[in-house]
Amino acid sequence: MATGRSLVRRVASTPWNARLRELASQSLFSESITLYRSMLRSGSSPDAFSYPFTLKSCAALSLPVSGQQLHCHVIREGCVAEPFVLTALISMYCKCGLVEGARKLFDENTQSHQLGVCYNALISGYTANAKVADATCLFRTMKERCVSVDSVTMLGLVPVCTVPDYIWFGMSLHGECVRLGIDSELAVLNSFITMYMKCGSVESGRRLFDGVPVKGLITWNAVISGYAQNGLAYDVLELYEEMKSYGVRPDPVTLVSVLSSCAHLGAQRIGQEVEKLVEANGFVSNVFVSNALISMYARCGNLAKARGVFDVMPVRSLVSWTAMIGCYGMHGMAETGLKLFDDMIRNGIRPDKTVFVMVLSTCSHSGLTNKGLELFDAMKREYKLEPGPEHYACVVDLLGRAGRIDEACEFIESMPIEPDGAVWGALLGACKIHKNVDMAEVAFAKVIELEPMNIGYYVLMSNIYTDSNNQEGIWRIRVMMRERGFKKEPGYSYVEHKGRVHLFLAGDRSHEQTEEVYRMLDELETSVMEIEGNTDCDRCGEVSSSTREHSERLAVAFAILKTSPGAEILVIKNLRVCEDCHVFIKMVSKIVDRRFVVRDASRFHYFEDGLCSCKDYW
DNA sequence: ATAGGGTTAG
């Protein structure tokens, strides 16, 4: 081809270049690569003006082979030294995940050492490929060589500061931007807002956001997704409304965060509104959006709709399968979930660690002990995945629930990695179910060493002592808790009503209809043969308040008051529904003849006609 | 004429 081509009369490349540029600027990347190919076929030879566009297309589509081919052409045409071409090549290698190749190019062409854009391309390449040390190191080199740092350098560098350890570095960068006078550029502000949010400094991020005079869509998205990532689902919905009131139109990124917050809060009505918007704007083909829809419907208890979204997706990602499988697990439908897992494998999708967490916990919730152990084995042997602490915790849970406590202990001892709090916590939970006080004390000592501030474990241990009538033990736990000075009760529940989410806290009286809610609660309690008690509730963490004021009861009472007879009631609880409340809701479902769906931290409970879907309450 | 950049899920 090459020799043949040189015989063909060379045609001026300018019209080709203009078209290449047009396509690339419209993000029609594969079209631009096709055009480049026909350009070669027609006998016109590309020049230094053709490559940047074509390389950019390879970068955008992550096509390393085509990119390297282009690199060869560049060498043949002798224009590697051309700054625009060199930078485009470096960027292409980075975007295709070949950072070493990019670095080699950078080192070999020393003229790039004075070009800020080359540093910028390489730094953002390091950042995108999680090479934090290389990124910061190159930034230092850049300054040593007196190459000027600009806002694009910052945009490439700031995203490395997304772990709390790097927040100081991030703040120093912020200071540097002020000195350079680029701290008011919108993109720079956006990247710092994101940085603070990802480090968990939600207030700092919000303060920066409030100070931005003209906010862009990404500015709004940065805070909305930051709230979502920090579990502030309520604030997400609030800010989303505010954003719309300013006339800013949400994009798929916004809607993904909003949907995930609806999932969190059980706000199906709001989620459905978002789905309408998704359809109206043609975002249905966006995999992120569809995955978020699946998870929203699943976590709102609407399995059929979740499956409906899943079934019509033209392209499913691993995340789509994982969300769907996890959703069957939460609903106690282990068979369907495991069948879907098999389907996934048959479809040639390689499982990852997360999907294994889903299938393993599905097995343990449904008592499929051996099936779970089999899968754990297959994970290591067949799929060559290194189990993490979360997988070990699942296996301990699997063995523990089945009453195989000794095996669970041996398993922990044989672990090649250090067990974390969740592993010992799973053992502690098993000891509660099977009333093994001695082992519980061992597990408890370990677990509070690893997670001293997790209140749930203290409550669990206290309840194990309660079950065995060990007054001294109960007292000891109380003292420990007092010493550690636990603050307010973290138990809360949500109910959605008329497109608004109502939040209830244990013993809380700040809800606008508190009077009515408590009256209804009293009424229900008179009807139910109430088990009075001030015992600490197992795992639900709502300590030292009477169980009769637990958040899920307030939510139930409110929902009965507000919704029409016959309507199903969905209550979301952040922790676990305690035994007392479980019994209470069961009885209420008979008295008021309503169906209750309660989603707690790990699964769904269905209450109807005095019965509950789960035999064993967790 | 041409290069480098910010937000997204289980």
Side-chain angles (χ1 to χ4, degrees):
Chain A
M1 195 65 192
T3 48
R5 195 179 55 84
S6 60
L7 297 174
V8 180
R9 191 175 59 90
R10 293 199 171 194
V11 182
S13 57
T14 316
W16 291 101
N17 287 348
R19 183 73 185 132
L20 279 173
R21 175 188 174 210
E22 204 183 316
L23 290 172
S25 69
Q26 290 170 9
S27 302
L28 297 167
F29 300 117
S30 50
E31 286 82 350
S32 110
I33 292 170
T34 314
L35 187 74
Y36 174 78
R37 299 228 162 97
S38 24
M39 176 180 177
L40 288 185
R41 268 198 305 278
S42 79
S44 23
S45 81
D47 58 17
F49 291 117
S50 333
Y51 294 117
F53 303 120
T54 324
L55 284 166
K56 189 179 179 171
S57 303
C58 290
L61 301 170
S62 192
L63 300 169
V65 179
S66 306
Q68 273 169 322
Q69 213 175 356
L70 277 167
H71 187 182
C72 293
H73 296 183
V74 167
I75 293 168
R76 202 173 53 200
E77 301 291 336
C79 52
V80 192
E82 206 60 56
F84 288 100
V85 178
L86 185 57
T87 313
L89 274 170
I90 292 174
S91 166
M92 180 277 294
Y93 277 113
C94 288
K95 293 258 171 67
C96 293
L98 305 166
V99 212
E100 284 79 17
R103 183 64 195 234
K104 199 158 158 274
L105 213 55
F106 177 83
D107 287 337
E108 284 168 358
N109 296 278
T110 45
Q111 78 276 21
S112 65
H113 297 184
Q114 288 309 312
L115 288 170
V117 274
C118 287
Y119 287 87
N120 293 350
L122 204 46
I123 286 175
S124 70
Y126 280 136
T127 305
N129 289 281
K131 296 185 184 292
V132 177
D134 292 310
T136 52
C137 181
L138 190 61
F139 178 61
R140 257 202 316 276
T141 313
M142 187 178 181
K143 291 204 288 192
E144 277 160 19
R145 292 181 181 161
C146 300
V147 180
S148 64
V149 168
D150 62 8
S151 53
V152 183
T153 321
M154 291 301 172
L155 295 173
L157 205 54
V158 174
V160 308
C161 314
T162 48
V163 281
D165 287 351
Y166 272 79
I167 186 89
W168 294 109
F169 179 59
M171 288 167 82
S172 77
L173 288 178
H174 200 166
E176 195 146 346
C177 286
V178 176
R179 279 197 297 104
L180 292 167
I182 53 172
D183 62 310
S184 53
E185 276 183 41
L186 193 55
V188 172
L189 284 164
N190 292 342
S191 78
F192 281 116
I193 293 173
T194 307
M195 176 191 83
Y196 286 120
M197 287 296 188
K198 289 208 170 151
C199 291
S201 307
V202 178
E203 280 84 29
S204 307
R206 178 64 199 239
R207 229 174 299 131
L208 210 51
F209 170 85
D210 287 333
V212 182
V214 187
K215 302 170 178 66
L217 174 60
I218 295 179
T219 318
W220 288 94
N221 284 352
V223 181
I224 289 178
S225 49
Y227 278 154
Q229 283 156 8
N230 286 286
L232 303 168
Y234 215 89
D235 304 75
V236 168
L237 298 186
E238 241 173 43
L239 201 60
Y240 171 62
E241 287 305 322
E242 197 182 330
M243 171 183 168
K244 287 195 295 186
S245 76
Y246 278 94
V248 181
R249 300 230 339 220
D251 75 342
V253 178
T254 326
L255 300 183
V256 165
S257 292
V258 173
L259 284 169
S260 110
S261 302
C262 291
H264 192 98
L265 301 168
Q268 193 178 178
R269 233 22 71 69
I270 304 171
Q272 272 168 338
E273 289 303 313
V274 175
E275 191 184 27
K276 280 185 201 148
L277 213 63
V278 165
E279 281 161 1
N281 287 288
F283 298 153
V284 262
S285 56
N286 184 310
V287 196
F288 282 75
V289 171
S290 293
N291 291 344
L293 276 171
I294 293 175
S295 141
M296 184 274 292
Y297 279 125
R299 295 177 64 87
C300 291
N302 198 332
L303 259 173
K305 278 220 167 182
R307 186 59 194 250
V309 175
F310 179 83
D311 283 339
V312 301
M313 283 176 79
V315 207
R316 300 183 189 104
S317 70
L318 176 57
V319 177
S320 326
W321 291 92
T322 310
M324 204 60 229
I325 292 167
C327 133
Y328 286 122
M330 282 193 96
H331 287 81
M333 297 168 69
E335 254 86 89
T336 322
L338 293 175
K339 200 184 145 293
L340 202 62
F341 179 70
D342 289 337
D343 287 347
M344 183 189 101
I345 302 288
R346 264 202 299 280
N347 273 275
I349 312 263
R350 255 189 72 80
D352 71 350
K353 291 186 177 192
T354 314
V355 77
F356 270 106
V357 173
M358 294 296 175
V359 285
L360 291 175
S361 66
T362 299
C363 289
S364 74
H365 280 316
S366 305
L368 302 173
T369 314
N370 291 327
K371 178 71 186 163
L373 294 173
E374 240 169 67
L375 283 162
F376 181 69
D377 222 46
M379 167 184 175
K380 292 186 291 187
R381 248 189 281 192
E382 230 173 291
Y383 302 103
K384 309 270 178 261
L385 292 167
E386 205 52 58
E390 64 277 30
H391 301 98
Y392 288 101
C394 284
V395 174
V396 172
D397 196 44
L398 217 44
L399 292 168
R401 278 177 205 269
R404 293 154 72 170
I405 306 265
D406 292 336
E407 266 177 88
C409 290
E410 284 162 28
F411 180 78
I412 295 177
E413 274 158 18
S414 72
M415 279 174 60
I417 53 171
E418 214 44 53
D420 68 356
V423 173
W424 290 110
L427 184 65
L428 187 60
C431 292
K432 163 74 168 79
I433 301 173
H434 299 288
K435 307 197 189 309
N436 188 332
V437 184
D438 294 339
M439 195 51 76
E441 286 178 337
V442 176
F444 179 67
K446 292 283 190 185
V447 88
I448 59 163
E449 193 183 304
L450 293 159
E451 287 183 45
M453 291 316 280
N454 192 327
I455 193 167
Y457 297 127
Y458 295 86
V459 181
L460 186 53
M461 191 66 225
S462 169
N463 280 294
I464 293 171
Y465 285 136
T466 307
D467 288 350
S468 62
N469 286 318
N470 184 336
Q471 283 306 318
E472 197 248 323
I474 298 171
W475 185 78
R476 214 169 42 232
I477 302 290
R478 287 269 158 87
V479 171
M480 288 176 85
M481 289 173 72
R482 199 160 310 144
E483 279 170 356
R484 285 175 170 80
F486 284 106
K487 286 186 222 95
K488 285 176 76 180
E489 296 114 35
Y492 53 81
S493 298
Y494 300 115
V495 161
E496 187 192 41
H497 179 243
K498 288 193 174 165
R500 259 191 68 198
V501 177
H502 295 259
L503 168 69
F504 295 90
L505 286 147
D508 172 49
R509 287 170 194 275
S510 64
H511 188 270
E512 52 201 41
Q513 277 139 322
T514 290
E515 287 306 313
E516 284 172 85
V517 169
Y518 272 88
R519 218 173 303 129
M520 173 53 89
L521 196 56
D522 282 341
E523 227 173 273
L524 291 170
E525 282 188 10
T526 338
S527 318
V528 172
M529 299 205 305
E530 171 61 355
I531 311 136
E532 273 287 352
N534 290 308
T535 50
D536 295 344
C537 262
D538 212 14
R539 285 199 173 198
C540 77
E542 296 192 3
V543 219
S544 69
S545 72
S546 156
T547 58
R548 51 183 300 227
E549 293 187 8
H550 270 185
S551 62
E552 56 268 52
R553 296 195 192 204
L554 299 174
V556 160
F558 171 78
I560 294 171
L561 263 171
K562 292 294 167 184
T563 57
S564 50
E568 184 180 279
I569 292 170
L570 172 66
V571 173
I572 307 295
K573 166 114 203 226
N574 66 329
L575 302 164
R576 284 202 157 102
V577 180
C578 71
E579 272 171 304
D580 267 9
C581 291
H582 202 269
V583 172
F584 175 80
I585 300 169
K586 217 150 72 172
M587 293 171 133
V588 170
S589 77
K590 195 175 177 81
I591 295 164
V592 299
D593 192 25
R594 297 283 281 271
R595 192 169 133 95
F596 292 94
V597 181
V598 181
R599 187 191 86 203
D600 68 6
S602 59
R603 61 192 261 190
F604 278 88
H605 307 257
Y606 294 91
F607 300 87
E608 197 170 11
D609 197 25
L611 295 169
C612 179
S613 57
C614 29
K615 311 148 234 154
D616 172 24
Y617 99 95
W618 64 58

